[in-house]
Amino acid sequence: MNEMPQDHHPAKSVRVLLAEDQGMMRGALALLLGLEEDIEVVAQVGAGDKIVAEALVARPDVALLDIELPGLSGLDAAALLREECPDCRVLILTTFGRPGYLRRAMEAGAAGFLVKDGPVEDLAEAIRRVLRGETVIDPALAAAALSAGANPLTARERDVLNASVDGATVADIAGKLHLSESTVRNYLSSAIGKTSTRNRMEAVRAARQQGWL
């Protein structure tokens, strides 16, 4: 009997795209998942704005995405994948288990959301489950998301807070978003009130901690 080659994958192995900006983590995940007989990592990217283009070429069954990626967040990429590659299931894998991130991931069409502190065997099984059409969510995070409630910030309030980082002035924000300065101040005031903070920088921190940005 001929021996099976070590790099053999079953004919119907799960094709996975892996998006992770840390090269060492990306390589380790690809190696560990590649040890599973029914999983094949067919593409790896280190930036969010490369995900869709790579998926259109590699045609993965499942896209395993980090959230905080250069160029485009994993959440925004998930929404684009839903439009451009509707047959590709999305599984979010992140260090940041924030309730707001989970809600946004589900709104973007993700089929699963896991944090990175679990064993690779659980991740492999989650990949198989989302491919079968199931939704896989970290149980503790699901409970936290239910208790936290919905994101109170509007899309424009989120835009203004995101533009507030790095010491941007009201004039800077207004120019970037093509808004009047008075409109920017109104959005900032509303966001500060909704986050129960004292100023816009505290509002940015609070919103990020909740995963609202």
Side-chain angles (χ1 to χ4, degrees), residues 132-198:
R132 293 197 297 263
E134 299 179 38
T135 299
V136 181
I137 300 173
D138 181 91
L141 186 58
L146 288 174
S147 63
N151 185 349
L153 300 175
T154 66
R156 264 310 190 188
E157 288 165 354
R158 294 197 299 270
D159 289 341
V160 169
L161 284 182
N162 276 319
S164 297
V165 299
D166 300 326
T169 66
V170 169
D172 293 334
I173 299 168
K176 181 178 182 180
L177 299 178
H178 307 292
L179 300 171
S180 69
E181 292 186 24
S182 62
T183 299
V184 169
R185 290 191 181 93
N186 288 337
Y187 282 134
L188 286 172
S189 177
S190 178
I192 290 168
K194 289 179 179 179
T195 54
S196 301
T197 52
R198 296 172 296 181

Side-chain angles (χ1 to χ4, degrees), residues 25-76:
M25 173 68 75
R26 186 171 65 248
L29 278 173
L31 178 63
L32 291 171
L33 289 174
L35 295 176
E36 300 289 325
E37 290 188 355
D38 59 340
I39 294 177
E40 180 182 5
V41 177
V42 296
Q44 300 180 46
V45 299
D49 52 5
K50 296 181 179 179
I51 291 172
V52 172
E54 194 66 30
L56 289 171
V57 174
R59 292 295 176 182
D61 301 307
V62 177
L64 187 60
L65 310 181
D66 194 3
I67 289 180
E68 297 197 355
L69 295 168
L72 190 72
S73 77
L75 298 176
D76 291 332

